[in-house]
Amino acid sequence: MTDKTITIALSKGRILKDTLPLLAKMGIEIVDDIKTTRKLILDTNHDHIKAVVVRATDAPTYVEYGAADVGVAGKDSIVEHGGNGLYEMLDLRIAQCKLMVAEHKDYAGDKGRIRVATKYMKSAKAYFDAQGQQVDLIKLYGSMELAPLVGLADKIVDLVDTGNTLKANNLVPTEHIYDVSSRLIVNQSSMKTKDDLLKPFVEEFKKVMDELA
Ligand code: AMP
């Protein structure tokens, strides 16, 4: 991307759904039809602002390497990524949920070393390390809730919003690891090299968030 443009990495799924109204409040609209377009770099109603829609877990990586100057990413994705090369500028208070430990409602209690299935390896490791509890972490990419039901793991670490998914699978949340919401992240070098474009963008975003507070 040229220095005259800023590119925003948007996280697919529920984060995207909640981000678009915030951008609209800033007067930024994606002009391509986001549901049907096959274009990967999307135009907005501002010539100098482009958007890419990426997997939620990839958004921090796009911003870290400056492939996107700014991004909207879940706190969980930022923690798992590690946060290298990016600044977390604003809490957007969207896509809120909690990262939690859960187990089967009839779980008999820990007997020795337990297995924990999760997509959130770094977060889970940090949490159990801090508890002084040694666990075997099993990396999964989805449907963590299935693991305790089929004997793959004793517990899971997953995002919980309404708790309906856990309940539907006879699981109960037991420990709260951290609260999650989406954050505005900015590439550290872009913040210097494109500050004429990024500063007003971040300030405008902050204003919108202050108005909504
Ligand atoms: P719920 O049944 O409302 O508790 O939602 C739980 C399911 O939605 C789990 O599969 C979670 O991984 C997923 N989930 C909940 N909140 C979020 C979020 N903010 N971002 C991404 N996935 C989420």
Side-chain angles (χ1 to χ4, degrees):
M1 299 294 142
T2 71
D3 278 345
K4 296 265 178 284
T5 308
I6 55 176
T7 301
I8 314 174
L10 300 173
S11 294
K12 260 183 208 162
R14 71 180 80 191
I15 299 178
L16 178 65
K17 199 172 91 338
D18 289 355
T19 304
L20 294 177
L22 295 180
L23 291 176
K25 277 195 187 299
M26 291 169 63
I28 300 169
E29 312 247 3
I30 291 174
V31 293
D32 296 298
D33 184 344
I34 215 160
K35 287 207 181 86
T36 57
T37 186
R38 286 164 185 260
K39 275 171 64 181
L40 296 173
I41 300 177
L42 306 177
D43 292 317
T44 73
N45 56 337
H46 296 265
D47 286 342
H48 71 289
I49 303 177
K50 307 283 177 198
V52 290
V53 179
V54 300
R55 281 184 80 120
T57 46
D58 290 337
T61 305
Y62 278 82
V63 176
E64 172 188 2
Y65 289 98
D69 303 291
V70 292
V72 175
K75 182 68 184 173
D76 53 315
S77 301
I78 300 170
V79 172
E80 291 298 313
H81 166 271
N84 276 346
L86 41 95
Y87 295 123
E88 201 179 300
M89 303 295 289
L90 276 179
D91 183 350
L92 304 179
R93 305 191 298 271
I94 54 171
Q96 292 182 326
C97 57
K98 294 176 170 61
L99 187 69
M100 300 199 74
V101 183
E103 63 191 33
H104 194 273
K105 65 177 177 41
D106 300 328
Y107 181 61
D110 297 351
K111 290 189 200 80
R113 199 174 166 111
I114 61 158
R115 291 203 303 252
V116 179
T118 189
K119 186 161 89 175
Y120 306 94
M121 297 292 277
K122 238 186 216 176
S123 304
K125 183 175 182 330
Y127 177 73
F128 288 109
D129 281 354
Q131 304 289 309
Q133 192 179 358
Q134 289 200 335
V135 303
D136 292 321
L137 291 177
I138 300 175
K139 168 88 184 182
L140 288 179
Y141 293 87
S143 301
M144 265 81 80
E145 297 87 358
L146 181 58
L149 308 182
V150 293
L152 177 60
D154 301 292
K155 300 185 183 188
I156 61 170
V157 166
D158 195 9
L159 299 178
V160 181
D161 180 12
T162 60
N164 290 339
T165 309
L166 291 182
K167 206 181 268 172
N169 291 292
N170 293 318
L171 302 174
V172 287
T174 52
E175 293 155 78
H176 172 264
I177 301 183
Y178 57 72
D179 287 330
V180 171
S181 58
S182 299
R183 312 295 161 100
L184 181 69
I185 53 176
V186 180
N187 174 269
Q188 290 182 352
S189 350
S190 299
M191 202 60 200
K192 294 191 195 95
T193 55
K194 298 187 181 178
D195 86 321
D196 54 327
L197 295 175
L198 281 177
K199 229 189 226 151
F201 177 86
V202 172
E203 262 157 31
E204 190 56 34
F205 222 135
K206 186 168 183 318
K207 222 163 79 191
V208 165
M209 294 314 301
D210 287 347
E211 279 165 18
L212 290 172

